[in-house]
Amino acid sequence: MACARVPLDEQQVTEPGLLGKDRTLPALHPERKEERYFVPYKPLPEDSSAAKVEEFLENTRFITEDLEWLLALPHDKFWCQVVFDESLQRCLDSYLHHAPRGLDIAASPSSPAVAEMQRSVHRMVFLTFLRMATHKESKENFITPVVFGEIIYDNFLFDIPKILDLCMLFGKGNNQLLHKMIENIFTQQPSYYNDLDETVPTVLEVFDTILGRCGLQCEGAVAMEPMKLNAHKQLTAMTMSQQELVDIILYLCDSTTTIHAFLDIFPAACSSFHSHSFLDRLTSFYETAVPDLEKVLRKRNFDDKGLQDDVWKRLSHSCRKMVETAHLVLHHTCLQPILEGGENMQSFAEELLQHFTSFLPEKRFLSDYDEQFPIADDISLLQQALPIIDETRTSYLLEGVQSAWDSVGRRKPQSQNQLRPSSAFDGAAGGASAASSSAGFHEVRQPAEGGESLRGAEAMLDAPRKGNNGAVCDVSEAELESLLSCIRDLLPDLGEGFLMACLQEYNYNSELVINNILEDRLAPNLDKLDRAMPRPVKEELPDLLGTRSNVFDDDEFDVFRRDQVDMSRIWKGRRKGENAREMLDDKQHIAEQKARYHAYETVVDEIEVQPGESAASYGLDDYDDEYDDTYDMNQVGANDLDGDSLLNRRPFTVPQVLRKVNKHEEVEEGEDEDEEEESIPNNVNRDQFVQDPALLRERAEARRAAMQQRKGFRPERTSNVTGRPKGQGQTTETFLDRRKKEANKSRGANHNRRNMADRKRNKGMIPS
């Protein structure tokens, strides 16, 4: 095979040809590819039957087994299969295109088997892309970096859309791996930066497409095309069908989440987006589209209220991701260079202030941005880094932010700085802390082992930050209503029951509740609750007397159900005029029971009924077909002469062991036994459990004596290993005994440690 320490692109291998002659081929050659067909991935339909589920499981199992086989190939065979097998690329592309996202409405698996199979194929696809993005696996298995960049670029193993899908599907939970993977791709092939610059305008067209479908006009875009003749017939968000509105919001949610995931994993791409005026287009779109879509969702009547709530959550998620994306671009293009220090700090600070100034007309976007990432903190950071910043300009920006809050009819939290880690200038370390505290809020993650149920291709995983737990309501009813009203003004889609649970968890701090809900940092017990949960209805406690159950209910002394009680039968202590002797001699209760037991004295088996008379005339009831004779004592068939009647059985006999006999009877019985047997002493019980040890020893001695009298018996000789004193010589028996002891000494004592240790280890007694 290939030589060590030689890159794969320079290796030559010798293989037998078709005619049996050896031939030399490059290590990367089409003829070295294995003939194997990789089936494309097909998603499971929403309304799938049992046959469809079985087909999905079988198709997914084929993909998983094929990818496991691919990952087990050696380095050269793996790259031959990846470069020259087109079915493999179609399989991987189909998964990136059709794999369920965590934000899809119908992304939950229908059964545990489907979820487990989806998780397996999800992991195999990620490992395959991870190996494809690695040019050096070990010191012996590697590809020249320049050749690696040409291979992945010329064969379209990676492109910008694929990288965006990878970030969307596998980003959360695998952030560091994906960052190294994408960074290696862009480092070894700089042409991907040019492709990214060409892709950003296409990404920006997403905003124009949504505005066009909703009948809106983006103020930041310049209309260069003439108006079409059918422009007046264009639908709006209010007049379009419900399905079209849902599709638009899902499209917006998927696009904004993908862009945010890509920029969060690969921050170097923020400069490409920034160079295309991404922030201006994003803020203008946010200000134009978000209020209109929210108004439409409030006014339209959905047939399914659950669908309406789900779509509202996705719109809120899209708004949060757009705000976080804007902060990512600002942080990595303006704030990070200031934190790292350098010669152009003044220019970066000026650019940051210009962006904040451009946000002032976008009132809704500015208030939402300031709610998640306070602009006052960033301005304070600039003042610490550059004391020469004009205070008049910063004051104007802060007043504009407050004006934006007032214009949207919302109240800015007063303790906002206490709820969020404050940014402080501390060189590069300060930049790292600021980025970690406010660079974004991770929401969708790769499913962990044993973790939650799979939702789509990922699993929802929270990042809890628990506050003080108020187990008892410490506020009055009026204060609670005020807190609920304050929160519902900002988050009208949440139910009062869910908000009450959040307030109780965070010690009735409304600002902390709002902050954790918007940042999706609720405690795990709150994250599992239904966010539309209504306020629990107060149920009045039922009347104790009406629901109690007692054995004395409705008796003559039940004062709760009887108005009149015989007080003559109630007294305290001993009854007057009655002593203990009279009370004990009173046998009235016995006389009362005699009449009851008198009916059971006479038992009649059969009574002949005369013609014309009934059984009732003889004091008997009519025949009852439902009569239960389970416990009847009548001996049915006992008098039948069938040879095995109940009355003809042998009488009960006390076992001999349990009998009690005197000494005279015991001696008489002993004389009648067989003479050959030994007589047992009268004072010994023949049914004893443990025999006399002296008798047992006598019998054993008799057996040994009989054995020694047999013909050819040789008694065992005692070994003598001591022998004579040194210098007097030893007998042959002593030499033999010593040799026997030397050969067999491992049978006992502590000489066979290794054998016994192996024996214990085989039985699992010693951990390996």
Side-chain angles (χ1 to χ4, degrees):
M1 287 298 293
C3 300
R5 303 301 176 90
V6 178
L8 181 63
D9 51 280
E10 298 178 4
Q11 292 179 10
Q12 301 288 330
V13 295
T14 302
E15 294 183 352
L18 298 177
L19 301 179
K21 296 182 179 181
D22 294 339
R23 58 176 181 173
T24 302
L25 297 175
L28 287 176
H29 195 273
E31 295 184 7
R32 301 195 65 210
K33 175 179 68 70
E34 298 289 340
E35 293 298 332
R36 195 179 188 96
Y37 180 76
F38 292 82
V39 297
Y41 175 85
K42 295 180 181 179
L44 183 65
E46 297 181 7
D47 49 350
S48 55
S49 58
K52 291 292 184 180
V53 172
E54 185 67 25
E55 180 182 0
F56 171 81
L57 293 176
E58 184 178 8
N59 182 77
T60 311
R61 183 167 58 252
F62 288 158
I63 297 175
T64 304
E65 294 174 356
D66 291 342
L67 293 181
E68 288 179 352
W69 170 84
L70 177 67
L71 293 173
L73 292 177
H75 186 252
D76 54 342
K77 288 287 188 179
F78 172 82
W79 279 102
C80 289
Q81 203 74 26
V82 168
V83 175
F84 303 111
D85 193 345
E86 297 180 358
S87 65
L88 172 61
Q89 297 304 321
R90 288 195 295 268
C91 174
L92 297 176
D93 293 346
S94 64
Y95 184 83
L96 295 181
H97 182 68
H98 296 291
R101 272 65 173 169
L103 297 175
D104 294 345
I105 292 182
S108 300
S110 57
S111 65
V114 173
E116 182 63 27
M117 189 59 65
Q118 180 66 40
R119 187 182 293 108
S120 300
V121 70
H122 190 74
R123 181 174 181 272
M124 289 295 105
V125 171
F126 175 71
L127 293 178
T128 303
F129 276 109
L130 185 61
R131 191 176 183 185
M132 289 168 54
T134 305
H135 71 283
K136 184 177 182 181
E137 296 183 4
S138 63
K139 295 181 179 180
E140 293 78 20
N141 301 323
F142 64 97
I143 305 176
T144 306
V146 178
V147 179
F148 171 79
E150 295 176 357
I151 290 176
I152 62 176
Y153 191 79
D154 296 337
N155 294 280
F156 297 94
L157 300 184
F158 290 98
D159 51 29
I160 301 301
K162 284 185 181 180
I163 294 175
L164 292 175
D165 288 333
L166 287 173
C167 294
M168 177 63 180
L169 289 173
F170 308 100
K172 304 310 176 182
N174 303 296
N175 199 312
Q176 296 181 356
L177 286 176
L178 271 175
H179 174 73
K180 294 180 179 179
M181 170 180 164
I182 299 174
E183 186 179 30
N184 186 54
I185 293 173
F186 278 78
T187 302
Q188 308 305 333
Q189 183 52 267
S191 299
Y192 282 108
Y193 283 104
N194 299 330
D195 294 349
L196 181 61
D197 290 334
E198 296 176 1
T199 307
V200 173
T202 306
V203 174
L204 295 176
E205 290 180 3
V206 173
F207 302 143
D208 297 336
T209 302
I210 296 176
L211 291 175
R213 294 290 300 274
C214 296
L216 303 173
Q217 183 179 359
C218 183
E219 298 178 0
V222 180
M224 300 300 296
E225 298 179 358
M227 183 179 295
K228 298 181 181 180
L229 296 177
N230 59 350
H232 62 281
K233 299 180 181 180
Q234 192 172 12
L235 297 177
T236 62
M238 183 61 70
T239 58
M240 67 175 58
S241 63
Q242 175 180 317
Q243 187 61 39
E244 289 180 344
L245 178 61
V246 173
D247 292 340
I248 288 176
I249 295 179
L250 292 180
Y251 178 56
L252 174 62
C253 183
D254 182 73
S255 302
T256 54
T257 306
T258 303
I259 296 172
H260 175 267
F262 174 66
L263 295 180
D264 187 25
I265 294 172
F266 188 58
C270 292
S271 58
S272 299
F273 281 77
H274 183 65
S275 61
H276 289 80
S277 302
F278 177 77
L279 289 177
D280 297 337
R281 299 287 297 275
L282 179 65
T283 55
S284 179
F285 169 80
Y286 191 99
E287 191 71 16
T288 305
V290 170
D292 185 78
L293 292 176
E294 289 181 348
K295 181 176 65 175
V296 170
L297 288 180
R298 289 193 184 98
K299 292 185 177 181
R300 292 195 62 156
N301 294 325
F302 279 70
D303 299 332
D304 186 3
K305 294 299 181 182
L307 176 61
Q308 184 177 9
D309 296 339
D310 200 28
V311 174
W312 178 269
K313 292 179 182 178
R314 276 156 178 75
L315 179 59
S316 302
H317 178 80
S318 303
C319 297
R320 184 170 64 255
K321 290 304 175 183
M322 283 188 283
V323 172
E324 293 175 357
T325 302
H327 179 75
L328 279 175
V329 175
L330 283 177
H331 177 80
H332 291 289
T333 57
C334 300
L335 283 174
Q336 190 68 28
I338 297 174
L339 297 173
E340 294 175 353
E343 300 178 355
N344 299 325
M345 292 178 57
Q346 182 66 32
S347 61
F348 288 118
E350 182 65 25
E351 186 177 3
L352 180 62
L353 293 177
Q354 288 182 1
H355 282 298
F356 286 157
T357 306
S358 64
F359 292 168
L360 293 179
E362 319 295 346
K363 304 294 185 181
R364 174 62 187 275
F365 175 82
L366 183 59
S367 61
D368 291 346
Y369 181 91
D370 185 66
E371 186 177 15
Q372 294 192 30
F373 310 100
I375 296 179
D377 293 347
D378 295 335
I379 293 179
S380 176
L381 176 65
L382 291 179
Q383 291 175 348
Q384 296 178 35
L386 298 172
I388 61 175
I389 295 294
D390 188 6
E391 294 184 0
T392 304
R393 187 174 184 182
T394 57
S395 301
Y396 171 75
L397 288 176
L398 295 178
E399 292 177 1
V401 172
Q402 185 62 41
S403 175
W405 280 92
D406 298 336
S407 62
V408 297
R410 296 162 61 185
R411 184 172 58 88
K412 183 177 180 180
Q414 298 297 329
S415 58
Q416 192 176 42
N417 295 332
Q418 300 177 1
L419 301 178
R420 185 182 308 279
S422 59
S423 302
F425 178 74
D426 190 15
S433 75
S436 63
S437 63
S438 59
F441 310 99
H442 305 311
E443 180 179 4
V444 184
R445 292 190 179 180
Q446 171 81 6
E449 294 293 330
E452 302 179 5
S453 62
L454 190 70
R455 191 177 191 273
E458 306 93 5
M460 303 300 292
L461 194 65
D462 56 358
R465 187 181 66 181
K466 189 174 180 181
N468 297 329
N469 183 14
V472 183
C473 182
D474 297 332
V475 298
S476 62
E477 187 70 22
E479 292 176 343
L480 180 61
E481 292 295 336
S482 177
L483 293 175
L484 291 175
S485 177
C486 177
I487 299 176
R488 287 183 60 84
D489 289 343
L490 300 178
L491 305 170
D493 57 318
L494 300 180
E496 292 186 357
F498 175 75
L499 295 179
M500 291 177 65
C502 295
L503 288 172
Q504 183 179 359
E505 177 73 15
Y506 295 106
N507 201 18
Y508 296 92
N509 189 339
S510 61
E511 297 173 352
L512 186 59
V513 171
I514 295 172
N515 182 76
N516 289 343
I517 291 177
L518 293 177
E519 294 181 357
D520 203 5
R521 294 185 179 181
L522 292 175
N525 58 333
L526 297 177
D527 202 21
K528 297 178 182 179
L529 297 178
D530 182 12
R531 300 205 172 192
M533 182 174 61
R535 174 183 291 191
V537 181
K538 292 184 179 180
E539 298 182 359
E540 296 183 359
L541 295 177
D543 187 10
L544 179 61
L545 299 179
T547 58
R548 73 184 183 97
S549 178
N550 196 283
V551 294
F552 300 107
D553 286 347
D554 296 324
D555 62 359
E556 56 179 331
F557 301 110
D558 190 356
V559 296
F560 299 107
R561 291 181 173 83
R562 291 179 179 269
D563 295 335
Q564 308 232 349
V565 179
D566 187 6
M567 300 301 295
S568 62
R569 302 196 42 159
I570 301 176
W571 64 85
K572 183 178 180 181
R574 182 178 299 177
R575 183 183 297 181
K576 296 180 179 180
E578 182 181 81
N579 53 25
R581 175 59 61 184
E582 293 179 357
M583 183 178 64
L584 293 176
D585 292 341
D586 186 7
K587 307 298 182 181
Q588 182 180 358
H589 61 285
I590 298 178
E592 294 176 355
Q593 299 296 331
K594 284 185 178 181
R596 175 180 299 177
Y597 289 100
H598 181 70
Y600 298 99
E601 290 182 355
T602 304
V603 179
V604 181
D605 292 339
E606 296 180 359
I607 296 179
E608 295 183 3
V609 180
Q610 298 298 328
E613 297 181 355
S614 62
S617 60
Y618 292 89
L620 302 177
D621 296 334
D622 294 338
Y623 172 73
D624 186 6
D625 185 60
E626 300 296 334
Y627 177 71
D628 185 10
D629 59 353
T630 304
Y631 301 101
D632 284 357
M633 298 303 295
N634 297 332
Q635 297 179 359
V636 180
N639 299 326
D640 296 344
L641 300 177
D642 53 0
D644 190 17
S645 63
L646 298 176
L647 299 180
N648 295 332
R649 293 181 181 178
R650 59 176 292 184
F652 176 76
T653 304
V654 178
Q656 188 175 4
V657 178
L658 303 178
R659 293 180 184 177
K660 295 182 179 180
V661 297
N662 51 25
K663 296 183 179 180
H664 178 71
E665 295 177 353
E666 187 176 357
V667 172
E668 292 179 355
E669 292 178 0
E671 293 177 354
D672 296 338
E673 294 180 352
D674 192 356
E675 295 180 356
E676 296 179 359
E677 298 181 358
E678 297 180 1
S679 62
I680 302 176
N682 295 336
N683 59 347
V684 178
N685 186 5
R686 67 178 59 186
D687 296 316
Q688 58 187 354
F689 179 73
V690 180
Q691 299 185 16
D692 187 6
L695 182 61
L696 295 178
R697 285 193 295 269
E698 292 178 1
R699 293 177 181 176
E701 185 65 27
R703 285 195 299 269
R704 284 193 294 270
M707 184 180 299
Q708 294 177 2
Q709 293 177 3
R710 293 179 183 176
K711 184 179 180 180
F713 174 78
R714 297 179 59 185
E716 183 178 359
R717 184 179 57 85
T718 59
S719 68
N720 182 18
V721 296
T722 304
R724 300 174 182 174
K726 187 175 182 181
Q728 297 182 8
Q730 305 295 338
T731 62
T732 304
E733 287 80 3
T734 302
F735 280 113
L736 293 178
D737 291 340
R738 289 180 178 179
R739 181 183 301 175
K740 183 178 179 181
K741 178 182 178 181
E742 179 68 22
N744 298 314
K745 68 180 181 179
S746 63
R747 293 179 62 252
N750 198 24
H751 302 283
N752 56 347
R753 298 194 190 113
R754 181 175 299 174
N755 295 334
M756 294 303 295
D758 294 340
R759 183 179 179 185
K760 290 182 179 180
R761 186 177 292 105
N762 294 336
K763 290 184 177 181
M765 301 172 64
I766 302 177
S768 57

